[in-house]
Amino acid sequence: MSEETKLQTDNLDLYYNKFKALNHISVHIPANRITAVIGPSGCGKSTFLRAFNRMNELIPDVRVEGQVLLDGQDVFALDEVELRRRVGMVFQRPNPFPKSIYDNVAYGPRAHGIHNHQMLDAIVERSLRSAAIWDEVKDELGKSALRLSGGQQQRLCIARALAVEPEVILMDEPASALDPSATLRIEELMQQLKAEYTILIVTHNMQQAARASDYTAFFMMDDNRAGTLVEFGPTRQIFTNPRDHRTEDYISGRFG
Amino acid sequence: MTTVIHTVGQTRNTSGQVKSCSTSLAHVTSSQYLRDKSNLKSRKLTQQSAFALMWLAGSVAVAVLVAIVGYVVWLGAKVITPDFILQPPRGGMAGDGGISYTLLTTFYLVVLTVGIATPLGVAAATYLVEYAGAIRKHRRLWSRLIGIARLGVETLAGVPSIIFGLFGYALFVSALHFGFSLLSATLAGACLILPVIIRTTEEALRAVPNSYREGGLALGATKWQTIWGIVLPTAAPGIITSIVLSVGRVLGETAVFYVTLGGSYRMPTSIMSSGRTLALHVFYLATETHAFDKAMGTAAILVLAIILINLVINLLARRLNRMMKG
Amino acid sequence: MAYKSARLMDRGVKGILLAAAFLAVAIVFTIGLFILRQALPAFSQIGVFRLLSGTEWRPSQSIFGLLPMILGSLLVTLGAIVMGVPLALGCAILMAEIAPRSITAVIRPAVQLLGGIPSVVFGLFGMRVLVPLIRQIPVPSNTGFSILAASIVLAVMILPTITTVSEDAIRAVSGDYRDASLALGATKWQTIVGVVLPAARSGIVASVVLGIGRALGETMAMIMVIGNSVIIPQPLNDNPLTILLSQARTLTGNIAVEIGYSSGLQTNALYATGVVLFLLTILINSLAHALVKERAI
Ligand SMILES: Nc1ncnc2c1ncn2[C@@H]1O[C@H](COP(=O)(O)OP(=O)(O)OP(=O)(O)O)[C@@H](O)[C@H]1O
Ligand SMILES: [Mg+2]
């Protein structure tokens, strides 16, 4: 592959206790591109995503084998707190803190030791602008984030993730709880963001994957119900000319 | 990407990260801050010290329990003999004798209070949960009354027990001339545990899934048949828990009985007899007779009974859990 | 036929249950009204203000001032809160957020058991262990029976209430918040302080308020360790902290100690003490209620 690799896994196996959820996943995720992760429910997409910011570790009895690399560095050799600053995450359900809009965005920078007010103000504005929500909320930064609409909340969560200046943004079905117009706004936003960030997005929406992503990874469960990577490639190729018949079946099934 | 902040003069910074912020800060960027891992160590250190304090708190709580139970049971064990349990107390400055009558009084009182309060409390809770809920929609006044009733029960559950004692003294001991007696103590004690039983039973009834009720009604059973045949049996472990809890409450209660039961160490011969519960006996031995060894022995028995009750409650809770899941 | 009798039974039972509910509620209200009625002569003959602000309580001379007892109750409660709340919250945070399940499985039953131990047992332990220890402090006229002893005993007694209620509140905080915070690179402790505790705030405050209610209401353990002198607590020497070594009497203790031998106006004044206590706890409990209802911003 000619592109520069940002994230990489080598023979990644992941177990929830005795259950093997990921089986030998090896993939290179290119930098400054949007990579979509698709596949049937329960095939390990979220698990795969959480491997990159080590959020799986928060679940008791999870065991990981194989390698996960960020810029060629083993993520397990990094401090997980520092890793998670560099690899941000947006969740399926919008989950703003029950705090003001401002405090939501400032939360991350504050946690990392920035308390200077001018600096925080600048970060909040820049992040909200990048997340394309600044114009909607700039006059009411003190308002509770819980009073925003679902789509606004999700963009606020993206702003919150951007505020700590990550290099990668993991998005786990970020639009599944949103209506079509809010979904479109998130997709537009992703296009703007990819200039500076590497984006990895899980989606159940084939149109969305086809529309918005540059690369696509297709996961499936193998005979032991462990998630395996069936096919990875440029989105156009995966959707028009898949190499594996299982990819074709899945995509045509989902489109049809 | 990098935002240049021009900071002039003093910043309102609290972390001490940007101390010399007069002019040199002019070109410090938030990006540099975020990439700079210098505060990672101090954050981890803060976390470690904070967690250490939490662990300390947990250890202290357990240590206090072990110290109190250990102290009382250890010293108490020295006087607990078959004689201590089977001999009647004989009063006197050394707290002579055993605790047989005390055990008897305690037993009477527990049975009587719980016996009175349970049917009343369970019935009231059943009405509040199963019948009063349906009223709400069309009868304003009635539903407001039910609301007040709930508030009353709620309030009473948080009222200090000495208030119940005061009430019992005023009504039963003085006004009704029952004097310091098992009768006065029973009635006051029943009032004390009534809110406990109502509340716990209400909770147990609410935990019964609505589908159970609908299932019963769909089979053509009347409302009461459904409640009696399905709802109450399902809620039974919760109701039993409330009864066991009440037993514990009566065993441990002192204030109410101090002002309604009097303090006679003699054998209770009728419902009008004065008497002593175990807890009261501990109090009298410690404060009036200074027979601390006997007090410890009695307290040890009390503590062991409470431990037993806690075990029973935990077993019931586990049963309840399993039933709700299965 | 069977159907008809079942219907009849249904009605009958409903009536019985209603009667029970009515009786239970009647009892609840009788308690409040009865005590109030008994207290009225005290309020009218002594005066509400003089009763509450009077600094002396001498039944033999018909002087009834509750201020010493009010201060005693407040000081003891304050002491219990200062010592007990950090301990209890530490326990709650440990169980809900930090300790592995196996450790929590030990601490929780211990805390629960602590909550079930009768107050006379705490009192006995206080008399035999704490009071003699405190007596060692070399301050003149220090008897060991003191506000300090009472506060320590109370701190332990309110721990289960506060720990249980706030642990529940902390556990009820949505895991989404924790994930969001950790995913931003906050440490676990930063997450606890920055997100979890604020989200659980109303429940935690409610637990403390409930603890205060419990502390104000405790009777027998207080009688056993506080000395019961009717005095306005004062430092024993020029060190203001020695106020903790002062004896005192609580509102609850006042009732329990005197009601059995009281007569006339004294009895009424004791009922008035009960009314004050009753109102205080109602106030505190409704505060706790309001707090639980209050939503985070
Ligand atoms: N915390 C957990 N403990 C145990 N097993 C888990 C846990 N989380 C996920 N699993 C299992 O791991 C497998 C993969 O789960 P994962 O959530 O990654 O799937 P997914 O592809 O994201 O599904 P969906 O499309 O429904 O979100 C599933 O079989 C699931 O049951
Ligand atoms: Mg998923």
Side-chain angles (χ1 to χ4, degrees), chain A residues 41-42 44-47 50 92 172-173 202 204:
Chain A
S41 190
K45 303 181 296 297
S46 301
T47 306
R50 289 197 304 259
Q92 178 169 3
D172 194 350
E173 304 186 47
V202 172
H204 272 284

Side-chain angles (χ1 to χ4, degrees), chain B residues 39-40 43-44 46-47 50-51 53-62 64-65 67-69 71-72 119-128 131 135 142 146 148-164 166-167 169-171 174-175 180 191 194-195 198 220 222-225 227 248 251-255 258-259 278-280 282-283 286-288 290 292 295-296 299 302-303 306-307 310 313-314, chain C residues 2-3 6-7 9-10 13-14 16-25 27-32 34-35 38 86-91 93-94 97-100 103 106-107 109-114 116-122 124-125 127-129 156 159 184-190 192 213-214 216-221 223-224 252-253 255-257 259-262 267 270-275 277-278 281-282 285 289:
Chain B
N39 89 336
L40 197 60
R43 287 157 71 197
K44 292 256 150 138
T46 312
Q47 162 153 318
F51 281 14
L53 283 178
M54 305 296 125
W55 279 104
L56 184 67
S59 321
V60 168
V62 176
V64 165
L65 176 79
I68 293 177
V69 171
Y71 180 81
V72 170
L120 191 58
V122 171
T126 309
Y127 183 81
L128 286 175
Y131 290 91
I135 289 166
W142 198 238
I146 299 284
I148 293 175
R150 281 229 167 80
L151 189 69
V153 172
E154 198 77 14
T155 307
L156 221 49
V159 160
S161 58
I162 186 68
I163 298 283
F164 289 91
L166 201 54
F167 167 71
Y169 179 82
L171 183 59
S174 318
F180 291 117
C191 292
L194 189 61
I198 294 182
T222 63
K223 184 151 188 166
W224 171 245
Q225 286 169 335
I227 294 172
L251 273 183
E253 182 55 47
T254 322
Y258 183 59
V259 298
L278 284 169
L280 260 183
V282 174
F283 180 76
T287 57
E288 293 188 351
H290 293 280
F292 287 113
M296 288 295 170
L302 201 51
V303 166
I306 295 290
I307 291 177
N310 260 42
I313 289 177
N314 280 337
Chain C
Y3 175 72
R7 281 296 292 265
M9 172 108 173
D10 209 36
V13 166
K14 187 176 169 184
I16 293 172
L17 292 181
L18 176 61
F22 185 78
L23 184 59
V25 172
I27 289 174
V28 166
F29 287 95
T30 315
I31 292 179
F34 206 78
I35 293 176
Q38 301 286 321
L87 194 63
L89 288 188
C91 261
I93 295 172
L94 180 73
E97 296 284 327
I98 301 171
I103 302 280
V106 175
I107 303 178
V111 169
Q112 196 189 347
L113 184 57
L114 204 57
I117 301 243
S119 58
V120 277
V121 175
F122 286 110
L124 187 62
F125 184 82
M127 274 179 101
R128 297 303 283 161
V129 179
V156 175
L159 180 130
L184 287 166
T187 61
K188 202 165 172 184
W189 178 245
Q190 285 179 314
I192 293 170
R214 174 108 208 255
L216 279 176
E218 179 48 40
T219 312
M220 302 319 272
I223 298 180
M224 292 168 88
T252 52
I255 299 172
V257 169
I259 190 81
Y261 333 76
S262 67
T267 313
L270 290 172
Y271 285 114
T273 314
V275 170
L277 197 61
F278 200 31
T281 42
I282 289 180
N285 286 332
H289 259 267

Side-chain angles (χ1 to χ4, degrees), chain A residues 149-184:
Chain A
S149 74
Q152 287 175 322
Q153 287 189 3
Q154 195 60 303
R155 275 178 287 143
L156 176 66
C157 291
I158 295 176
R160 183 176 65 187
L162 298 180
V164 293
E165 303 191 8
E167 299 153 36
V168 178
I169 304 175
L170 309 172
M171 297 182 160
D172 194 350
E173 304 186 47
S176 68
L178 307 182
D179 65 38
S181 73
T183 303
L184 271 182

Side-chain angles (χ1 to χ4, degrees), chain B residues 193-240:
Chain B
I193 58 175
L194 189 61
V196 180
I197 294 183
I198 294 182
R199 270 174 37 145
T200 327
T201 307
E202 272 194 285
E203 254 167 57
L205 290 173
R206 289 220 182 83
V208 177
N210 252 332
S211 56
Y212 286 31
R213 298 186 178 88
E214 284 154 11
L217 294 173
L219 288 174
T222 63
K223 184 151 188 166
W224 171 245
Q225 286 169 335
T226 309
I227 294 172
W228 182 252
I230 299 173
V231 179
L232 285 176
T234 313
I239 296 173
I240 296 171

